[in-house]
Amino acid sequence: MNTVERIAQQLQVRIRRGEWAEARRLPGQRQLAELLGVSRASLREAITMLEGLGLLRSEAGRGVFIASPGDSGLGSAYGRWRFQGRYALRDVYLVRCELEELATALATGVVTRHGLERLRATVAQMEGAAADGDLVLMAEGDHAFHAAIYEIAGSPLLLDIAESIGDVVEGSRQVAFADPARVREPIREHLAIIDALATGEPEQARRAMRAHIRHVADRAGLALGIPRAKASRRAA
């Protein structure tokens, strides 16, 4: 984990222990930063991450509150999407789908047994995190899975493009993790992608990744229609 993820993990542990359960509100950021021994800048990023995961919510002029699943209007991805006003969440998933389908297809032709085991290790991490109710570690495992596919694909240009929009993509991952009833779904989808990679069939791997991104969007409250040029494909 990086510094921000470690801070988010500390906050998550304290929330789960019920440290601020009575007030349902975190201490002020200056006090909290001193309590945790971290910078206020890193603390703010960690809070933003936990907002994306649905554990916290900020109210202007009032502070940061522990979110409840039943909070009206706050359970939607739109309320937690930190890039709204700049990028439509649907557009992010559409771009992710195109990039990650391509990365998966490229990876299919070069993936080794070691590469497949590396991917399975990220799934094992997510399984353990799901069992513990650890959304921060779940999100980190999800990041590691997709990052590994880009690296296995072996395209420096594709990797640079992915890294250039890394913060936006991370945000789109986080908002899809807030529903406890569906937190294990990406584990099954990742396993399906690994199985497709192991077949050596690029189109099968593409379909598995496409289905995964569609389900991610669905967990964020979006029905993702992915445009396909059917007529031109038939002509080809």
Side-chain angles (χ1 to χ4, degrees):
M1 288 189 176
N2 60 34
T3 299
V4 171
E5 288 169 335
R6 285 196 295 270
I7 297 170
Q9 182 79 289
Q10 292 179 56
L11 289 173
Q12 179 183 237
V13 168
R14 288 172 180 264
I15 291 168
R16 290 170 64 189
R17 284 202 307 238
E19 287 196 20
W20 304 297
E22 186 173 346
R24 303 293 297 174
R25 178 180 176 179
L26 270 60
Q29 289 192 18
R30 178 178 296 177
Q31 178 185 349
L32 194 54
E34 292 176 357
L35 178 66
L36 299 176
V38 300
S39 71
R40 292 178 68 181
S42 294
L43 174 63
R44 282 192 294 270
E45 288 188 54
I47 288 172
T48 298
M49 179 181 186
L50 293 180
E51 285 184 282
L53 290 169
L55 295 177
L56 296 175
R57 58 181 172 84
S58 294
E59 294 186 15
R62 295 193 63 210
V64 181
F65 294 81
I66 298 170
S68 300
D71 285 348
S72 178
L74 295 169
S76 72
Y78 297 106
R80 296 177 281 109
W81 173 235
R82 57 186 167 126
F83 293 97
Q84 57 182 320
R86 185 175 181 186
Y87 301 118
L89 186 55
R90 180 179 182 275
D91 287 352
V92 177
Y93 289 129
L94 287 172
V95 171
R96 277 189 63 187
C97 193
E98 294 300 321
L99 292 176
E100 298 193 38
E101 272 194 49
L102 176 58
T104 305
L106 293 174
T108 306
V110 296
V111 68
T112 63
R113 182 178 298 178
H114 172 74
L116 293 172
E117 288 304 315
R118 178 183 174 189
L119 292 168
R120 290 189 183 102
T122 68
V123 173
Q125 174 182 327
M126 293 178 70
E127 287 176 335
D132 293 337
D134 187 338
L135 290 181
V136 174
L137 196 57
M138 278 286 290
E140 198 279 332
D142 187 54
H143 166 85
F145 176 85
H146 289 274
I149 288 180
Y150 276 112
E151 291 177 17
I152 292 168
S155 168
L157 178 58
L158 190 56
L159 188 58
D160 284 350
I161 292 171
E163 289 179 350
S164 72
I165 58 172
D167 287 345
V168 177
V169 170
E170 283 303 303
S172 76
R173 289 197 186 105
Q174 291 163 8
V175 296
F177 272 109
D179 186 349
R182 305 185 68 181
V183 76
R184 291 182 177 273
E185 290 182 12
I187 295 173
R188 295 191 289 271
E189 292 157 18
H190 285 189
L191 287 172
I193 292 169
I194 294 171
D195 289 343
L197 283 167
T199 67
E201 296 291 336
E203 189 54 39
Q204 188 170 333
R206 277 182 177 271
R207 286 196 300 270
M209 179 59 77
R210 188 183 316 146
H212 171 51
I213 301 299
R214 276 179 165 163
H215 290 312
V216 172
D218 181 66
R219 286 189 286 274
L222 291 169
L224 190 65
I226 302 172
R228 294 287 159 185
K230 293 181 180 178
S232 62
R233 284 191 174 187
R234 283 196 299 270

